[in-house]
Amino acid sequence: MNHSKSLIYIGAAFALFVLFLSAYTINQAEQVIITQFGRPVGDPITAPGLHFKLPFVQDANRFDKRYLAWDGPLVEMSTKDKTYIQVDTFARWRITDPMRYYLRLRDERSAQSRLEDILGSETRTAIARHELIEVVRTDKNRKPLLDETLAVAAGEGNLGVLRPIRFGRAQIEQGIFQAAQPKLAEFGIELLDVRFKRINYNQQVLERIYQRMISERLQIAQRFRSEGEGEAARINGKKERDINEIESTAYKRVQEIQGEADAKATEIYAQAYTQKPEAAEFFKFSKSMETYRKILNQDATIVLSTKSDLFELLKRVEQKRPEN
């Protein structure tokens, strides 16, 4: 009896063990392919829930149904105009045919490697077909924002003006996507999107870009200086003209005032010295004295005629000088 119960317990435990090995669950984000001795058996199982398989001889190979990421390495490549840049690319993909995916790739690590081969190759091909400006610019209709001051300084030149492009980065990404999608479909992979995450310039390219930026800013600065110097010259010219005008007007007024004063003084003198003959004689005498004061000094030598008024005056003064 005890031996029979033991056999029953052992059989029940073995049955539970076999059931445990046979049952498996699938969640909403998974899909499973059952393989027997390494070969697929039946169709892929995508419905979530509890499922069963043969124990010991069959295995459940799980694959993700969600969107998966591929983040490519930073690779240096050359553009059409022989400019070396470093391109960092990323993509999104998913497994749409798990059976083909399993037969061609087996696991996600192999899929990532295949994605890197195909997308990397298509990226290098696309970059080599286009110039640097096409890779950097997103939209061919984009207009740059330019400061009004710089716009005035740039004038009608090429400063702040973007070179025209035919495609742009968005169309290049779309071209890579369209070229890589059918190649990846052969592996049961649906490519969802491909984008450039980052584009870095080569160090030599950076130096050229910096030099160009410096050259443009120097041109703008020189234009500002030229305009400033022209404006300063105009202001200085206007200042000199205003000063000359003010001085001319003031000098004219001074001369008018002096003329009016001289005329008034002459009128007063005339009225004063014409009242009596003695007054006229005194006026003549005072004017003569003023004249002699201006022309005679200690170093002057004068030759006079005996009939001159100055000789008579000096003679008269000499006669009136008291004797010692």
Side-chain angles (χ1 to χ4, degrees):
M1 179 68 69
N2 293 332
H3 181 69
S4 300
K5 289 183 178 180
S6 299
L7 292 176
I8 293 173
Y9 292 150
I10 292 173
F14 181 76
L16 290 175
F17 179 70
V18 171
L19 180 64
F20 174 78
L21 294 179
S22 301
Y24 64 93
T25 59
I26 301 176
N27 61 35
Q28 291 84 353
E30 292 179 330
Q31 50 192 342
V32 172
I33 290 180
I34 300 299
T35 58
Q36 184 171 325
F37 302 112
R39 293 183 179 182
V41 176
D43 296 329
I45 302 172
T46 59
L50 181 64
H51 299 270
F52 297 92
K53 61 181 177 63
L54 295 177
F56 305 111
V57 296
Q58 291 184 346
D59 295 318
N61 300 274
R62 302 174 184 272
F63 305 103
D64 208 323
K65 290 197 301 185
R66 295 172 296 183
Y67 292 169
L68 303 174
W70 173 80
D71 194 351
L74 188 66
V75 180
E76 184 171 297
M77 55 191 70
S78 175
T79 62
K80 184 179 179 180
D81 50 353
K82 306 304 179 184
T83 301
Y84 284 91
I85 57 176
Q86 297 174 337
V87 181
D88 191 356
T89 313
F90 74 95
R92 294 294 181 266
W93 60 284
R94 66 177 178 177
I95 303 170
T96 55
D97 190 341
M99 183 63 70
R100 181 177 297 182
Y101 177 85
Y102 176 78
L103 293 175
R104 299 292 300 273
L105 299 174
R106 295 286 178 173
D107 54 22
E108 186 175 338
R109 184 175 63 179
S110 299
Q112 292 284 353
S113 177
R114 184 62 62 182
L115 282 164
E116 183 173 340
D117 292 340
I118 295 175
L119 293 179
S121 175
E122 295 299 334
T123 300
R124 283 189 290 271
T125 301
I127 295 297
R129 290 176 179 174
H130 298 87
E131 296 183 356
L132 175 64
I133 189 67
E134 299 279 354
V135 180
V136 175
R137 291 270 299 281
T138 303
D139 185 6
K140 61 183 178 180
N141 297 321
R142 174 177 174 267
K143 295 182 180 180
L145 297 176
L146 188 62
D147 187 83
E148 295 181 358
T149 305
L150 295 181
V152 173
E156 298 180 354
N158 294 325
L159 296 179
V161 179
L162 294 178
R163 286 175 50 192
I165 61 173
R166 295 176 55 194
F167 301 99
R169 188 172 71 227
Q171 290 193 23
I172 295 176
E173 292 172 341
Q174 185 64 24
I176 297 173
F177 174 81
Q178 293 175 355
Q181 191 177 37
K183 296 180 180 180
L184 291 173
E186 297 178 0
F187 299 93
I189 294 175
E190 180 187 2
L191 184 63
L192 302 173
D193 195 12
V194 179
R195 296 294 176 91
F196 296 145
K197 181 167 64 174
R198 182 171 63 252
I199 297 177
N200 292 338
Y201 294 112
N202 183 276
Q203 189 61 34
Q204 296 179 354
V205 178
L206 281 176
E207 293 296 331
R208 292 203 302 269
I209 292 174
Y210 291 155
Q211 291 300 323
R212 180 179 177 183
M213 293 171 62
I214 292 172
S215 176
E216 290 182 354
R217 294 308 181 270
L218 289 177
Q219 292 181 42
I220 295 174
Q222 183 60 39
R223 181 151 188 162
F224 277 131
R225 292 192 195 97
S226 299
E227 292 179 355
E229 291 172 356
E231 185 67 15
R234 187 186 66 81
I235 294 174
N236 289 332
K238 185 177 183 299
K239 181 192 71 173
E240 294 295 333
R241 186 171 63 253
D242 292 343
I243 291 175
N244 292 335
E245 183 178 353
I246 293 171
E247 290 179 348
S248 176
T249 303
Y251 180 76
K252 178 181 177 182
R253 183 57 182 161
V254 167
Q255 295 300 316
E256 289 177 353
I257 294 174
Q258 289 181 350
E260 292 175 358
D262 291 343
K264 189 67 175 177
T266 302
E267 181 182 356
I268 293 173
Y269 285 140
Q271 292 177 359
Y273 293 126
T274 56
Q275 293 180 0
K276 293 181 179 181
E278 293 81 0
E281 185 68 20
F282 177 74
F283 177 73
K284 180 180 179 182
F285 174 76
S286 62
K287 288 297 181 183
S288 299
M289 291 298 101
E290 290 180 3
T291 303
Y292 297 153
R293 186 181 298 110
K294 293 179 180 179
I295 64 176
L296 295 178
N297 54 40
Q298 296 179 356
D299 299 329
T301 301
I302 303 176
V303 179
L304 300 173
S305 173
T306 56
K307 296 181 180 181
S308 65
D309 295 337
L310 180 56
F311 180 80
E312 290 296 331
L313 179 59
L314 294 175
K315 184 178 179 181
R316 190 183 308 165
V317 171
E318 184 67 24
Q319 290 175 355
K320 290 182 178 181
R321 180 180 295 176
E323 295 181 358
N324 295 331

